[in-house]
């Protein structure tokens, strides 16, 4: 494990400068304690597990929390990236660096391999995306490795389907989510019972907001991929969103690339992830920008959620993240 990692699990409760709550605990410290409790509970009850790592800010925070939860031991589960083959190069480089830093086993589940094996059929045309194909690749990998739980960085404030999903969220023996079969969660009492073939998705950051994540990143000094900060990039505009020019997206007639100063609020497949015009080049500038915006990150930058009002829920029912 890299010497860069240190035991900072006992950081001052009000290190962020936040006001303390009724019990003398800051908001961020309470969220951190809850997430660590969830990680430990799932690791104890649902082993073997795996941490889903996209290279985005939420999974970066999740990996950092897993390190804290089990310090000074190693993180007791592998990290898995479902690689569409259409990722931002900066994110792949970041993924490999973080896995080495935290000393984790990396499992790469490849959508391209799923296509080659005939498990899924690749879309074609200017609007083709491999985003939805990830569900099959993910479920195949969970079954292959016999994982009983998969930790994800999803938050309830991101999108309406995620808003109604439980922290310990059951998937049936087909890997599917049924909102009507969700179990009640009273305070911090979680039901970890699984029947053969079922697995659990566990979301330690459910109660965090995008702003909480950014403030925690600043407080803890968590490294992120460079695309989260303002940079000059060649983009093109489609349906009101700015897409990065890449070999994976075919331009439509009338679409012309141009250079713009942008940053990304989410990290995903390049075919469905948009950028925002921004000059926010530092954590403080990003936090100020997020605090002022009235548009959600997925609403502003994810084309896959614009397909229909229930687009995310439809994908989650099929086994998506």
């Amino acid at each position: 494990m890299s010497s860069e990692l240190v035991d900072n699990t006992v950081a001052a409760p009000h290190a962020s400068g936040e006001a303390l709550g009724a019990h003398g605990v800051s908001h961020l410290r309470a969220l951190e304690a809850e997430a660590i409790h969830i990680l430990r509970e799932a690791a104890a009850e649902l082993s073997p597990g795996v941490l889903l790592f996209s290279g985005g800010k939420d999974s970066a925070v999740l990996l950092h929390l897993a390190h804290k939860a089990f310090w000074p031991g190693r993180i007791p589960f592998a990290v898995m990236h479902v690689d569409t083959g259409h990722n931002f190069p900066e994110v792949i480089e970041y993924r490999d660096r973080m896995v080495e830093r935290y000393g984790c086993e990396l499992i790469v589940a490849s959508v391209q391999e799923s296509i080659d094996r005939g498990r899924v059929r690749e879309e074609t045309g200017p609007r083709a995306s491999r985003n939805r194909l990830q569900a099959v690749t993910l479920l195949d990998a969970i079954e292959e490795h016999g994982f009983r739980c998969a930790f994800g960085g999803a938050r309830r404030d991101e999108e309406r389907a995620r808003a109604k999903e439980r922290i310990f969220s059951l998937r049936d023996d087909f890997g599917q989510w049924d909102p009507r079969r969700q179990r009640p969660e009273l305070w911090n009492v979680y039901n970890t019972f699984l029947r053969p073939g079922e697995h659990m998705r566990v979301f330690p950051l459910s109660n965090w907001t995008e702003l909480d994540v950014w403030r925690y990143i600043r407080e803890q000094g968590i490294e992120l991929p460079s695309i989260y900060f303002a940079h000059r990039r060649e983009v093109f505009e489609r349906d009101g969103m700015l897409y990065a020019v890449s070999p994976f997206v075919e331009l439509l007639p009338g679409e012309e690339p141009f250079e713009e100063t942008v940053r990304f609020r989410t990290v995903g497949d390049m075919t469905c992830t948009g950028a925002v015009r921004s000059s926010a080049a530092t954590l403080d500038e990003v936090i100020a920008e997020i605090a002022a915006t009235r548009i959600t990150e997925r609403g502003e930058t994810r084309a896959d959620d614009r397909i229909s009002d229930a687009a995310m829920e439809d994908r989650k029912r099929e086994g998506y993240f």
Side-chain angles (χ1 to χ4, degrees), residues 108-288:
V108 178
S110 168
V111 172
Q112 182 61 55
E113 289 183 10
S114 296
I115 295 170
D116 294 342
R117 291 191 291 117
R119 291 285 296 148
V120 292
R121 179 180 296 178
E122 185 162 26
E123 298 177 3
T124 58
R127 296 182 183 274
S129 173
R130 291 183 172 183
N131 188 55
R132 194 163 188 157
L133 307 184
Q134 295 180 86
V136 172
T137 305
L138 170 61
L139 294 178
D140 284 351
I142 288 173
E143 182 177 4
E144 177 188 346
H145 293 278
F147 293 128
R148 301 182 70 224
C149 80
F151 297 98
R155 311 184 320 271
R156 288 189 172 119
D157 80 321
E158 287 183 77
E159 189 277 336
R160 68 189 71 185
R162 287 181 167 170
K164 65 182 181 183
E165 182 150 31
R166 299 289 193 266
I167 293 174
F168 279 61
S169 189
L170 183 69
R171 295 301 190 272
D172 65 18
D173 51 356
F174 296 103
Q176 297 174 330
W177 177 58
D178 183 349
R180 295 169 299 183
R181 289 189 62 212
Q182 293 193 107
R183 298 166 174 172
E185 291 183 338
L186 304 177
W187 299 282
N188 61 350
V189 178
Y190 306 112
N191 186 338
T192 59
F193 176 75
L194 293 177
R195 293 182 176 84
E198 295 178 338
H199 73 273
M200 200 74 77
R201 301 288 174 85
V202 180
F203 302 107
L205 306 184
S206 280
N207 293 328
W208 297 50
T209 66
E210 183 185 12
L211 200 53
D212 292 331
V213 168
W214 277 106
R215 286 173 171 162
Y216 189 73
I217 287 168
R218 178 177 61 183
E219 178 194 285
Q220 299 289 309
I222 299 171
E223 182 183 347
L224 292 180
S226 59
I227 64 172
Y228 274 115
F229 302 97
H231 58 286
R232 297 291 291 177
R233 195 176 200 105
E234 193 173 29
V235 298
F236 66 96
E237 187 163 359
R238 175 182 294 177
D239 303 329
M241 287 175 49
L242 297 178
Y243 291 85
V245 172
S246 78
F248 314 123
V249 184
E250 179 183 338
L251 297 183
L252 292 166
E255 292 177 338
E256 294 292 337
F258 58 97
E259 195 168 280
E260 185 62 274
T261 301
V262 299
R263 72 175 196 88
F264 290 83
R265 289 180 70 182
T266 63
V267 163
D269 191 276
M270 293 185 77
T271 60
C272 64
T273 305
V276 294
R277 289 182 174 89
S278 172
S279 59
T282 68
L283 283 170
D284 285 340
E285 291 170 348
V286 170
I287 288 169

Side-chain angles (χ1 to χ4, degrees), residues 15-85:
S16 64
E18 294 179 282
L20 301 185
H23 301 288
V25 178
S26 75
H27 177 61
L28 285 184
R29 199 82 310 107
L31 289 173
E32 178 189 67
E34 180 191 55
I36 287 175
H37 166 69
I38 292 166
L39 283 158
R40 290 173 175 167
E41 179 77 3
E45 299 291 334
L46 296 168
S47 180
V50 68
L51 189 150
L52 303 178
F53 188 75
S54 67
K57 63 186 185 307
D58 303 305
S59 56
V61 167
L62 195 55
L63 185 60
H64 180 81
L65 287 165
H67 163 66
K68 279 194 161 193
F70 302 103
W71 177 272
R74 296 168 66 95
I75 297 173
F77 34 77
V79 168
M80 182 159 73
H81 180 218
V82 179
D83 185 353
T84 67

